[in-house]
Amino acid sequence: MRIIFKKSYEADIRYFKDRVQASWYFILLVLAVILPFVINDYWVGEFSLMLIWAIAGMGLMLLVGHTGQASLGHAAFMAVGAYTNVILQNDFNIPFIISLPLSGLFAGILGICVALPTGKLHGIYMAIATIAIGVLAEDLIVILEPWTGGVGGIYAPAINIFGINFDRYTNVAELYWLILAITVLIIIGYKNILRSPLGRSFAAVRDSEISAQAMGVNIGKTRTLSFAISCAITGISGALMGHFSYVFTNETFNIVISINLLLMIVVGGVGFIHGAFLGAMVVTFLPSGISFTRDAFFSDFHIIPGIESGIFGMILIAVILFEPMGLYGRWLKIKAYFELFPFYRKDMFRRQKTYLKTERTR
Amino acid sequence: MQLVISGLAMGCVYGLIAMGFVLIYKATEAVNFAQGDMMMLGAFITLGLTNDQYMALPFWISVPIAISLMGCLGYLLDSLIIRRMFGQSQLAVVILTIALGFVARFLAGAIWGHDPQSLESPISGQYFRISDIVIGVPEIWIIGITISLTVVLFVFFAKTKLGVAMQAASQNQMAAYYMGIPVRRVNSLIWALSGIVAAIAGILFASKNAIDPGTGLLGIKAFAAAVIGGLGSLPGALLGGLLIGLIEPFAARYLEGDIARIMPYLVLVLILIFRPHGILSQVQKKKV
């Protein structure tokens, strides 16, 4: 058991709590880098997909976990990122290394355009407004067929940076490293936002709008900014998803994906960057996990369509009922148990009893 | 005129599902995203009891069975699952009910298959004509039942002791406890009630259209209707449902296909922007 004694304000906002923690993350990074040498191409592809989901999850996490706004239409911004990225590359001959940030930026600007009119909405109303935007985006893709290819879809070109080729099928490991690098950059950026005044104001708005206002936080501006940053990160993940899936249509980013994104971060643990990654692991590896289990144990088992979403739903119900803080919350409890070994008590993480009051008076 | 009648009938179905949303919202401040899937289950239970290939019971026997089954299901859902979330944030309940919807869709698909099926009810398929307008009998039934149900529920909330208790429980759970209202039981009862409404909506929907497990996604459109009307207002739910039901056929008739499909959502976004709490808004400014 280690005791952290904070001697300066600096110590409070450092990236890592202490050297031990820093070295653990370093080991994790090294493991992630050498992964393609250890496993075969299929699994490298799966891990790339997991990282893309994790980026999208981080985008949504910033909004849901750190600012307390629910969005059920984030796949729309993935679509914006993906289409912007490919159109910039195909029609304007802009290289990937510029078009990727541009697509994130464009998604962010669109996010502002969405957040400005809907910014006054709260909770459930926000959720339904974003659902509507998700549905609108899906149909807009079809309507804007000259650019987006409509239901026929659009093909993502192979990525080429400084002569190195990143192709979905021939250079799987290279693509994985590229995605990993972008993921690490985004994590650093995310962490930086969280420890800056902006991140603190996000948390203030999440915990209580009225007290945040009293502390001098501009609520409207904070919420809009959070929406924009969240959309930009999601847009980048969408752009990567476009390259990863090679061809995509309006169906690739439909409303079910938006809902899945939200469920993903809830399973992982709302309010933690780790939660986005844990949730992404569940979403990515659950389908293959189910099919492997089925092949291993029930060879004569006939395939029930939709069993994945059924099992996912049941996992989700179990997580919400028994572990509202998600998988990462469970990990924190296990860690606390071993760190405080004989002194862990069952009620340490018990939540205070709360009573709901109406939202109809505000 | 033809469009108006079919739009009204569809709008009534939306309105009924939306009413399920409103009932639960009015009494527990939670939003049940599985409402559409409950409607789907209600329709499938009736279908499973009535159709020849399954149990082949007479329609008028299977309807009350299905309705009471769905009522029990709603009660059990609340008392076994939702009640554990008592006092937690709305978002957690939303996610929980989305997950329940996944499970319901999977179960229905596993039991009744994924192909669209239609209910063999005595009211489906008949129609009569007034001059040159064709009116289906199911449409008349749908409109009539919806209107009477709205009136009954409205009176229930405004006049009966239980209805008032339900409203009190939603406005302030703790204060309701102090007043001696059994908040948990009231919540379970409201879930049972919304299960019953969902079953009625499902039966009416199935006697006009074919159903498959994905039908529950209609719930999103119905939720839009509830929000357009103002969550928490029963007449508002019916109004929103009718609005969406009427917009759809007219948009399909006079606009291009793709633009027509997004019209309901466009209307929703516009209403949310200009009247953030719906047409018949229930939100008041807090007095300090």
Side-chain angles (χ1 to χ4, degrees):
Chain A
M1 179 175 171
R2 294 183 304 273
I3 292 173
I4 313 281
F5 181 52
K6 288 174 184 160
K7 280 170 287 191
S8 64
Y9 184 62
E10 221 10 63
D12 202 34
I13 60 170
R14 271 198 302 242
Y15 283 118
F16 302 110
K17 226 165 30 177
D18 51 30
R19 292 231 173 110
V20 183
Q21 199 190 14
S23 48
W24 277 117
Y25 281 105
F26 184 72
I27 292 170
L28 182 68
L29 184 65
V30 170
L31 280 181
V33 170
I34 60 169
L35 196 67
F37 298 116
V38 186
I39 53 181
N40 65 20
D41 275 1
Y42 170 75
W43 285 106
V44 174
E46 291 284 285
F47 269 96
S48 311
L49 187 63
M50 184 215 103
L51 287 178
I52 295 173
W53 281 124
I55 298 177
M58 278 194 283
L60 192 57
M61 190 67 84
L62 187 74
L63 193 68
V64 179
H66 289 108
T67 323
Q69 288 171 277
S71 167
L72 281 168
H74 250 53
F77 297 100
M78 282 182 86
V80 169
Y83 279 102
T84 319
N85 181 40
V86 170
I87 291 169
L88 282 177
Q89 287 184 58
N90 280 352
D91 300 353
F92 297 93
N93 283 322
I94 294 171
F96 172 79
I97 200 159
I98 301 175
S99 73
L100 181 75
L102 275 183
S103 58
L105 189 69
F106 190 63
I109 292 170
L110 269 184
I112 294 182
C113 299
V114 170
L116 281 180
T118 59
K120 278 186 193 146
L121 305 175
H122 287 262
I124 289 306
Y125 290 93
M126 181 89 187
I128 185 69
T130 45
I131 285 186
I133 283 159
V135 176
L136 286 179
E138 204 187 319
D139 283 301
L140 271 179
I141 293 170
V142 181
I143 293 172
L144 297 175
E145 203 187 325
W147 290 305
T148 59
V151 282
I154 191 169
Y155 292 88
I159 309 171
N160 196 322
I161 304 174
F162 305 129
I164 309 167
N165 209 15
F166 300 91
D167 189 84
R168 164 79 181 84
Y169 295 103
T170 51
N171 312 80
V172 181
E174 278 83 355
L175 186 67
Y176 168 76
W177 281 319
L178 178 71
I179 295 173
L180 183 66
I182 295 169
T183 314
V184 171
L185 281 180
I186 290 178
I187 296 175
I188 295 172
Y190 193 148
K191 198 80 187 153
N192 255 330
I193 291 176
L194 284 191
R195 57 187 203 149
S196 70
L198 185 65
R200 303 293 162 115
S201 63
F202 286 171
V205 169
R206 170 193 63 190
D207 292 341
S208 160
E209 272 188 18
I210 295 174
S211 37
Q213 207 162 20
M215 305 286 265
V217 175
N218 184 339
I219 306 245
K221 204 173 121 193
T222 311
R223 287 170 61 123
T224 311
L225 256 179
S226 141
F227 204 90
I229 296 172
S230 151
C231 291
I233 298 177
T234 317
I236 287 176
S237 86
L240 292 174
M241 184 64 101
H243 281 290
F244 182 80
S245 55
Y246 181 55
V247 55
F248 51 93
T249 65
N250 58 328
E251 292 279 310
T252 316
F253 303 104
N254 63 9
I255 192 78
V256 179
I257 302 290
S258 309
I259 295 176
N260 263 352
L261 268 180
L262 185 66
L263 302 185
M264 181 179 98
I265 64 169
V266 170
V267 169
V270 172
F272 308 101
I273 298 180
H274 307 75
F277 282 84
L278 291 171
M281 278 182 204
V282 172
V283 168
T284 319
F285 298 120
L286 189 68
S288 30
I290 290 173
S291 61
F292 276 115
T293 327
R294 194 173 52 208
D295 295 342
F297 297 106
F298 314 99
S299 46
D300 55 339
F301 197 63
H302 67 283
I303 296 159
I304 302 174
I307 190 161
E308 275 93 359
S309 64
I311 290 181
F312 186 53
M314 286 180 218
I315 290 180
L316 204 66
I317 294 172
V319 165
I320 292 181
L321 289 185
F322 302 112
E323 194 52 82
M325 281 163 75
L327 294 176
Y328 187 66
R330 173 55 61 184
W331 162 243
L332 283 181
K333 281 178 199 170
I334 294 171
K335 208 166 74 170
Y337 179 81
F338 284 108
E339 274 181 357
L340 310 170
F341 170 57
F343 303 116
Y344 182 83
R345 287 181 301 115
K346 221 179 170 183
D347 292 345
M348 272 176 64
F349 286 91
R350 211 168 87 176
R351 286 173 301 174
Q352 217 171 1
K353 205 163 184 140
T354 51
Y355 292 91
L356 204 67
K357 272 192 186 176
T358 182
E359 285 199 342
R360 270 173 268 160
T361 57
R362 182 172 281 132
Chain B
M1 193 58 204
Q2 189 74 58
L3 290 180
V4 170
I5 289 180
S6 67
L8 277 180
M10 202 56 221
C12 282
V13 174
Y14 288 143
L16 274 180
I17 307 172
M19 235 177 271
F21 279 112
V22 168
L23 281 176
I24 289 181
Y25 185 79
K26 212 175 167 70
T28 68
E29 289 278 315
V31 175
N32 174 19
F33 265 81
Q35 191 70 36
D37 299 293
M38 280 165 80
M39 177 212 88
M40 180 268 296
L41 274 185
F44 263 117
I45 289 175
T46 322
L47 188 149
L49 291 171
T50 313
N51 277 17
D52 287 337
Q53 61 190 109
Y54 300 108
M55 313 253 299
L57 288 174
F59 181 72
W60 298 112
I61 295 176
S62 60
V63 164
I65 296 177
I67 289 177
S68 45
L69 268 179
M70 284 306 292
C72 295
L73 185 75
Y75 192 93
L76 288 178
L77 259 187
D78 183 70
S79 56
L80 296 180
I81 297 178
I82 311 286
R83 187 176 288 179
R84 291 162 179 268
M85 308 291 299
F86 193 73
Q88 297 300 323
S89 79
Q90 270 185 338
L91 188 64
V93 182
V94 167
I95 292 163
L96 186 65
T97 51
I98 291 177
L100 284 173
F102 276 14
V103 175
R105 232 168 290 153
F106 159 67
L107 283 179
I111 298 173
W112 290 290
H114 287 268
D115 303 321
Q117 302 179 47
S118 50
L119 178 66
E120 294 159 5
S121 81
I123 57 172
S124 64
Q126 301 168 19
Y127 60 90
F128 58 88
R129 46 178 75 229
I130 301 169
S131 66
D132 57 343
I133 308 159
V134 181
I135 302 173
V137 176
E139 286 162 358
I140 302 291
W141 274 93
I142 290 172
I143 295 171
I145 289 177
T146 307
I147 290 172
S148 42
L149 204 61
T150 315
V151 171
V152 168
L153 286 175
F154 191 74
V155 171
F156 170 74
F157 267 103
K159 296 275 188 264
T160 64
K161 213 170 168 184
L162 187 59
V164 175
M166 283 170 174
Q167 294 200 45
S170 91
Q171 280 173 10
N172 191 333
Q173 283 180 342
M174 207 179 336
Y177 264 127
Y178 291 157
M179 293 300 122
I181 294 169
V183 176
R184 285 158 193 263
R185 190 138 54 90
V186 164
N187 282 359
S188 297
L189 281 176
I190 200 83
W191 274 80
L193 193 59
S194 95
I196 290 170
V197 173
I200 294 174
I203 294 166
L204 292 177
F205 181 79
S207 58
K208 192 166 175 284
N209 309 64
I211 49 167
D212 63 282
T215 306
L217 292 178
L218 207 73
I220 293 181
K221 228 178 264 176
F223 183 53
V227 172
I228 286 177
L231 265 181
S233 156
L234 285 171
L238 187 59
L239 189 69
L242 288 179
L243 203 60
I244 285 195
L246 283 176
I247 287 169
E248 271 189 331
F250 277 98
R253 177 83 180 266
Y254 296 110
L255 296 172
E256 268 179 73
D258 296 321
I259 300 173
R261 277 212 302 149
I262 62 175
M263 273 314 280
Y265 297 97
L266 210 58
V267 170
L268 171 70
V269 171
L270 288 179
I271 286 185
L272 279 179
I273 290 173
F274 292 110
R275 275 196 73 93
H277 297 288
I279 298 172
L280 302 179
S281 170
Q282 301 265 313
V283 177
Q284 299 136 12
K285 207 78 185 158
K286 190 174 191 172
K287 296 188 185 75
V288 184

